[in-house]
Amino acid sequence: MNFTERDRAIQPTERDRAIQAAIARGLVGPGEPVAGLLDIAGIRRSAAELRAAFEEFTAPGTPVLHAFAVKAASLVPVLRLLAQEGLGCEVASPGELALARAAGVPITRTVLDSPAKTHSELREALALGIAVNADNPEELARIDALMASAPSSAPIGLRVNPQIGGGSIGAMSTATDTSKFGVGLRDEGARDWVVQAFLARPWLTRLHGHVGSQGMPLELMTAGVTALYHLAEEINEKAGRRQIDTLDIGGGLPVNFSSDATTPTYREYAALLHSTVPGLLSGRYGLVTEFGRSLLAKHGTVLARVEYAKSAGGRPIAVTHAGAQVATRTVFVPESWPIRVAAYDAEGRPKTDAPVAQDIAGPCCFAGDLVAENRPLPRLEAGDHAALLDTGAYYFSTHFAYNSLPRPGIYGYAADTDGGVRFATVRTPQTLEELTAESGGAHAKSLGELGRQ
């Protein structure tokens, strides 16, 4: 046992204590073999660090809205917790808007972004007064018609793509030349069109640009924000007034998935923005951010019971109940979305045996359903537990219903004053009855009745 393992065995972490308590209380066990755990103190800490980072570098009195990207954790209790910590919501669908409203997030702290908004979505948002960022010229034309028939005081912006290039994960890069998002500023005639679009619409008062994503360096993110700022300055100069009053710089701060360290930090990003484009934080513009993954990733754990231990071709395999249904990106694109795995015994104590290279497999019926391949870990046996770390964002809200596997329960945890652990239900485990209903159980006879004379 090395020093780190010995120290951990003597002084378990808060996550270790939560895992042991979850198993002792039956949140994970033979009947419920997989669950999600959320560190509530950690989430609060991240929200406070975000607010503090921008407060440090932003001129006093500047309106700043940190709108959490709901897609990163589409769970009503999480949205409500973040709202209590001073955050709003960025929504990209009617479902996400419904969740934000159910969580009690004020309309004035909600932003609607999506590349495919319907007429009814736009009409509802404008009627409610929700901030809307139009994605393209055709959508802006729809808003023109809606504003003509029913003028709205909702803040309205336009999303632009500075086309600065992508990060290390192509599918997540939003600022490439051919990205589906926003108006490409470097396309022929596009910048002039954007300027004229604002000059022709006094109610168009915001610019939006989201260029960050996992795998995107801070310098490239900052370059995108700089392009957004200079465009706003150009438009306001030509308008002869402060028409654009708010810049929405999106989110996308990357997350370190290789250790417990939080890097980069919100402060590092805010400091880089301050030094690179000081006018952004000078009070000239209100500010909106849309962080998601970076707020929650480090504070979530998927805990799965090992159902069987076997071997194939000389390699040990731990067959668990956490695979593609909860770790979809990791299973299908492991090189871009690797996650750490920690080994625990049947009672939830960290295993400290010598590492053995092994596969950590999920329950889905395809060979590639592996969350870790040939990974050195203390050997996992039947009844042990595999913990998938850094899974607080997306892993709980992008369930893949392969093999009709039910959605697992999710529980928030916090330390007791006496050193114990308290739990609160975030989402109850999906029952087989609920799964059947969702899969058309009420219409079981409908197809057989078609075509009958």
Side-chain angles (χ1 to χ4, degrees):
M1 183 186 301
N2 63 35
F3 175 80
T4 301
E5 291 167 339
R6 181 168 58 249
D7 185 62
R8 183 168 175 238
I10 296 171
Q11 296 181 326
T13 66
E14 190 167 329
R15 180 174 61 220
D16 294 338
R17 289 191 290 270
I19 286 173
Q20 191 167 359
I23 294 168
R25 299 182 194 186
L27 302 182
V28 175
E32 297 291 347
V34 61
L37 305 177
L38 282 169
D39 177 1
I40 302 309
I43 294 173
R44 287 194 169 110
R45 186 169 59 251
S46 284
E49 289 169 353
L50 170 60
R51 296 195 316 270
F54 280 83
E55 286 170 4
E56 179 180 351
F57 293 100
T58 302
T62 302
V64 179
L65 169 62
H66 297 297
F68 173 71
V70 172
K71 57 185 173 291
S74 49
L75 300 161
V76 171
V78 171
L79 305 183
R80 189 172 184 86
L81 173 68
L82 290 171
Q84 291 170 349
E85 295 300 312
L87 275 62
C89 279
E90 181 266 336
V91 301
S93 72
E96 290 184 358
L97 175 56
L99 297 180
R101 298 191 72 184
V105 178
I107 290 299
T108 55
R109 301 185 67 79
T110 304
V111 180
L112 174 62
D113 294 319
S114 164
K117 307 179 197 72
T118 65
H119 273 103
S120 59
E121 287 178 71
L122 291 169
R123 186 180 300 108
E124 178 187 24
L126 294 177
L128 289 172
I130 293 172
V132 176
N133 288 317
D135 178 81
N136 56 69
E138 290 188 0
E139 183 178 333
L140 191 56
R142 286 187 179 183
I143 295 175
D144 282 338
L146 290 168
M147 290 290 285
S149 61
S152 170
S153 61
I156 302 174
L158 178 67
R159 180 169 186 168
V160 296
N161 170 16
Q163 295 171 306
I164 57 171
S168 62
I169 305 176
M172 305 306 296
S173 297
T174 59
T176 60
D177 285 347
T178 57
S179 171
K180 73 176 185 179
F181 295 106
V183 178
L185 286 180
R186 296 184 181 178
D187 289 0
E188 185 177 357
R191 190 182 188 94
D192 288 341
W193 179 87
V194 169
V195 172
Q196 292 304 315
F198 276 87
L199 298 181
R201 298 168 176 83
W203 44 261
L204 196 56
T205 59
R206 293 187 172 192
L207 265 179
H208 174 259
H210 172 72
V211 301
S213 68
Q214 185 64 19
M216 194 73 131
L218 294 188
E219 293 73 17
L220 208 55
M221 290 174 60
T222 302
V225 174
T226 301
L228 192 72
Y229 172 80
H230 288 312
L231 177 59
E233 292 283 278
E234 178 184 345
I235 291 169
N236 283 349
E237 181 180 358
K238 291 183 176 178
R241 60 190 180 88
R242 188 170 170 264
Q243 177 169 343
I244 296 177
D245 57 28
T246 301
L247 297 180
D248 185 333
I249 65 171
L253 192 74
V255 171
N256 163 39
F257 287 104
S258 62
S259 73
D260 280 337
T262 298
T263 179
T265 65
Y266 293 122
R267 189 184 186 282
E268 289 169 344
Y269 184 38
L272 185 59
L273 289 171
H274 182 261
S275 63
T276 305
V277 54
L280 174 75
L281 306 179
S282 67
R284 291 169 63 84
Y285 296 96
L287 193 67
V288 177
T289 71
E290 300 174 356
F291 296 103
R293 178 183 295 108
S294 55
L295 280 160
L296 291 186
K298 287 292 179 187
H299 310 307
T301 302
V302 173
L303 184 62
R305 190 170 184 270
V306 178
E307 195 66 41
Y308 299 109
K310 57 189 289 187
S311 65
R315 182 184 296 173
I317 304 172
V319 182
T320 80
H321 291 270
Q325 90 279 23
V326 292
T328 312
R329 288 175 177 172
T330 293
V331 168
F332 286 109
V333 197
E335 65 277 7
S336 295
W337 300 98
I339 53 174
R340 295 182 293 147
V341 180
Y344 292 82
D345 68 14
E347 282 74 43
R349 295 170 300 214
K351 300 194 74 169
T352 56
D353 304 335
V356 175
Q358 59 196 296
D359 291 350
I360 313 301
C364 299
C365 290
F366 65 95
D369 187 31
L370 304 170
V371 296
E373 188 171 2
N374 206 24
R375 182 77 59 86
L377 289 168
R379 185 160 183 165
L380 287 163
E381 306 289 352
D384 287 341
H385 296 84
L388 314 186
L389 309 182
D390 306 328
T391 48
Y394 290 97
Y395 289 83
F396 299 155
S397 61
T398 52
H399 187 85
F400 179 36
Y402 200 95
N403 287 140
S404 294
L405 290 163
R407 289 185 289 274
I410 302 171
Y411 307 93
Y413 67 86
D416 259 335
T417 53
D418 61 1
V421 179
R422 291 180 294 127
F423 291 96
T425 300
V426 175
R427 184 182 71 197
T428 56
Q430 186 181 31
T431 66
L432 296 182
E433 291 77 15
E434 289 169 338
L435 188 151
T436 301
E438 189 177 83
S439 299
H443 309 288
K445 299 178 181 179
S446 63
L447 298 182
E449 296 170 353
L450 286 178
R452 285 185 177 176
Q453 301 298 322

